[in-house]
Amino acid sequence: MQWYFVAALLTVLTSSQGILTTLSQSNGGYKYDYATVPFLAEAFKLAVSSFLLWREIRANPSTRMTTDWRSVRLYPIPSIIYLIHNNVQFATLTYLDTSTYQIMGNLKIVTTGILFRLFLRRKLSNLQWIAIVLLAVGTTTSQVKGCGEASCQSLFSAPIQGYMLGILSACMSALAGVYTEFLMKKNNDSLYWQNVQLYTFGVIFNMARLLLDDFQRSFEKGPWWQRLFDGYTITTWMVVLNLGSTGLLVSWLMKYADNIVKVYSTSMAMLLTMVLSIYLFNFKPTLQLFLGIIICMMSLHMYFAPPSMLVDYPPNGKAAPENLKEITIERKSDS
């Protein structure tokens, strides 16, 4: 399977994620406990990965699976990072309005590139660095509203704590992605075995979160497992399947592509969601949206296109060696 096919599929699924979540609402709210959705998505990913691992072992009994505890103990770390990231997100929203928070979130594009270079030792060309910055600029441009609106005035009026937490949130998001890529590529273990380890801890951490919510509410609605499917509709199940399928595609990209491909997929998905919202939710397109799309398309071409398509090389590139040879001959005749 080619990485660009997986990336395109991830873009489509991620763009439909927000739309499905909006459609699952009833009278502006959720009739189901939204905290159960990530838990069921993790359980879905674990079940699919376990089945695919079973099939792989049947077809190839020598499937590589590292069971040493020194390797297994590394797999809870992404779940811990995401848990901290979620708490930082809530703290950030206490200082920033939603528009400013979304714009600050685009910093994770640049921080992913930086951590990608520092921790994974992956070298990027100057053109690719410019492309990553352009992607952040493009997504930010698409989210900025008209300068005459009140939300534009509040962009730089939030407390300094909000901006610091926004930067921390972007770094935590990038760190989780880069560390997951490190895990997936650190050995030649089966992708499905690695997924089983990741999602087992994902299920455990999400279960712990549901239990903690029950303790905080003094079990007034009963234990979480008794109301797990309360309020679920077909649309809600589509949200769960979408979230789970997206996670499986991301793990494939982490194993066989890299974080930058994932960043481009999710960024393009955000723009696709805006375009689809024009037809589904009567969203009014803005000049900033069209400018953002153009900038992101330029960034996409600049990052993935071969250098020969971006830079014009001199047609007489072989002239220099011939000149050097002539000079060498002249020196020999003089001696």
Side-chain angles (χ1 to χ4, degrees):
M1 190 183 297
Q2 299 294 332
W3 67 263
Y4 47 81
F5 174 77
V6 177
L9 186 57
L10 177 62
T11 299
V12 174
L13 287 179
T14 305
S15 65
S16 61
Q17 205 170 90
I19 295 172
L20 288 173
T21 303
T22 302
L23 293 175
S24 70
Q25 294 179 352
S26 179
N27 298 323
Y30 301 104
K31 288 187 176 180
Y32 58 92
D33 185 357
Y34 189 73
T36 60
V37 173
F39 169 75
L40 291 174
E42 291 293 318
F44 169 75
K45 290 186 286 186
L46 178 60
V48 171
S49 299
S50 299
F51 172 73
L52 293 175
L53 177 62
W54 173 74
R55 283 187 56 186
E56 186 178 29
I57 293 174
R58 284 192 62 186
N60 181 17
S62 60
T63 298
R64 178 164 178 173
M65 296 185 295
T66 303
T67 56
D68 183 67
W69 172 244
R70 287 175 296 181
S71 175
V72 175
R73 68 183 180 182
L74 300 176
Y75 284 84
I77 296 178
S79 298
I80 295 172
I81 296 175
Y82 280 120
L83 182 64
I84 298 173
H85 174 246
N86 291 336
N87 288 319
V88 172
Q89 279 184 312
F90 282 111
T92 305
L93 285 169
T94 61
Y95 294 100
L96 303 179
D97 59 77
T98 306
S99 299
T100 306
Y101 173 76
Q102 289 178 340
I103 292 173
M104 289 288 294
N106 294 322
L107 285 174
K108 68 184 177 183
I109 297 173
V110 179
T111 54
T112 298
I114 294 172
L115 295 179
F116 186 74
R117 176 69 181 92
L118 292 177
F119 291 106
L120 298 181
R121 304 295 182 184
R122 299 287 296 275
K123 187 176 181 180
L124 300 175
S125 68
N126 292 335
L127 284 174
Q128 288 177 321
W129 278 114
I130 295 173
I132 290 174
V133 174
L134 275 179
L135 181 64
V137 171
T139 52
T140 301
T141 302
S142 67
Q143 294 170 339
V144 174
K145 298 181 180 180
C147 291
E149 300 185 21
S151 60
C152 191
Q153 298 176 358
S154 65
L155 183 59
F156 300 105
S157 60
I160 187 65
Q161 297 95 319
Y163 298 114
M164 297 302 295
L165 287 170
I167 295 172
L168 178 60
S169 176
C171 291
M172 294 297 294
S173 176
L175 179 61
V178 169
Y179 183 82
T180 302
E181 182 179 346
F182 161 75
L183 278 183
M184 305 302 280
K185 292 179 176 176
K186 73 183 181 70
N187 55 35
N188 293 323
D189 278 4
S190 164
L191 169 65
Y192 308 125
W193 167 240
Q194 292 176 318
N195 280 346
V196 166
Q197 296 174 87
L198 275 175
Y199 302 141
T200 297
F201 289 109
V203 167
I204 293 172
F205 277 96
N206 277 277
M207 192 184 303
R209 181 201 167 182
L210 290 170
L211 192 59
L212 180 62
D213 288 344
D214 284 343
F215 274 107
Q216 290 177 341
R217 299 169 185 169
S218 301
F219 290 89
E220 59 183 21
K221 294 183 179 180
W224 62 269
W225 58 85
Q226 291 183 359
R227 49 183 171 79
L228 183 60
F229 306 117
D230 290 355
Y232 268 59
T233 62
I234 295 177
T235 309
T236 314
W237 282 110
M238 290 177 67
V239 174
V240 172
L241 294 177
N242 180 289
L243 194 61
S245 301
T246 299
L248 291 171
L249 291 177
V250 168
S251 70
W252 192 96
L253 285 177
M254 293 296 183
K255 182 76 171 179
Y256 300 111
D258 56 48
N259 259 280
I260 306 298
V261 174
K262 187 203 79 169
V263 165
Y264 269 94
S265 297
T266 53
S267 298
M268 295 302 165
M270 181 186 64
L271 297 176
L272 181 59
T273 301
M274 292 182 180
V275 173
L276 293 176
S277 297
I278 296 173
Y279 302 98
L280 296 176
F281 305 114
N282 295 321
F283 173 76
K284 293 182 179 180
T286 62
L287 176 62
Q288 291 89 334
L289 173 61
F290 291 113
L291 289 175
I293 291 175
I294 293 172
I295 295 172
C296 288
M297 291 298 108
M298 292 171 57
S299 169
L300 183 68
H301 177 69
M302 186 179 294
Y303 188 90
F304 292 104
S308 57
M309 294 181 62
L310 302 173
V311 179
D312 291 329
Y313 292 101
N316 56 346
K318 295 183 178 180
E322 294 176 1
N323 293 337
L324 289 175
K325 186 175 181 180
E326 292 175 2
I327 294 171
T328 305
I329 294 173
E330 290 176 4
R331 287 180 179 175
K332 287 183 178 180
S333 60
D334 291 341
S335 60

